[in-house]
Amino acid sequence: MVKNQAFTLIELLLYMGIVTFMMTALVPLTWNVIGGSAKVAVEGEVYSQGRFAAERMKREIRNTTNITSVSSSTLVTYLGSSWNTTTFDVSGGKLRMTKIDPETGDPVVTNLNSDGTTVSGLTFTNYSSAPLKTKHVGFQFTISGSQTSGRQEYQESITIESSSEIRSF
C-alpha cells in the first residue's frame, strides 16, 4: 500500500504563516543592523575628526611663542619671529591651519577636518592674564557630518570646547 506524501491545505497555511511571521520579524531587524552601522560610522567620523582638530590646535598653541591676534573667529600665533606665523580659521566648512613656509614665504594651508565633516561656529577667547604672566586661549567649534544609507540619512553634530596655554614666552 502506497501512502500519499502531500501536504494538506491546513499544513501549508500553517507553514506559510510561520515563515511570514519569521520574515516580518527578521527584515526590520536586518535593516536596523545595516542602518546602525551607517549611524556608528557617522558618529565615529565626527568624534574622531573633532578630537583630532582640537588636539592639533592645542598642540600648536602650546608650542608657539606668542599670540599675535585673537578675534572672535581667527587666531594668529607666531613662533620666534613674525614670519613664522600660524593662523586658524574656518572657510567653506573646513577648519584651516595656515603656516608660512620659512623658505619661500608662501602660505601652506592644512585642513584639520575631513571632507566628510563640516566645521562651523569657530570662536576664540583670550584668557591671558593682564600683566601677561600667562597666555591662554580658549576655542570652541561645532563639527557635523552626515551619511545617507538607503532611505535614511544619519546626522551627527557635536560642539567642542577647549583651551590651551603657551608653554613659554
Side-chain angles (χ1 to χ4, degrees), residues 17 38 64 72 106 116 124 139 153 159 168:
T64 193
S72 61
D106 295 333
F124 292 99
F139 58 88
E153 182 174 330
T159 299
S168 63

Side-chain angles (χ1 to χ4, degrees), residues 2 13 23 29 55 61 69-70 78 83 107 117 145-146 157-158 164:
V2 176
L13 288 174
M23 293 301 287
L29 177 66
E55 289 301 319
I61 293 169
S69 70
V70 178
Y78 72 88
W83 57 263
T117 57
S146 64
S157 180
I158 59 169
S164 186

Side-chain angles (χ1 to χ4, degrees), residues 98-112:
T98 306
K99 290 187 169 205
I100 303 299
D101 186 339
E103 294 178 10
T104 65
D106 295 333
V108 178
V109 178
T110 304
N111 291 330
L112 298 182

Side-chain angles (χ1 to χ4, degrees), residues 51-64 75 88 112 137 139 160-167:
R51 269 193 313 272
F52 170 76
E55 289 301 319
R56 182 71 187 266
M57 289 174 65
K58 287 190 321 187
R59 185 180 74 202
E60 293 293 329
I61 293 169
R62 266 194 312 266
N63 293 331
T64 193
L75 172 69
F88 294 100
L112 298 182
V137 175
F139 58 88
I160 295 180
E161 186 173 354
S162 190
S163 66
S164 186
E165 185 174 317
I166 295 175
R167 287 187 180 165

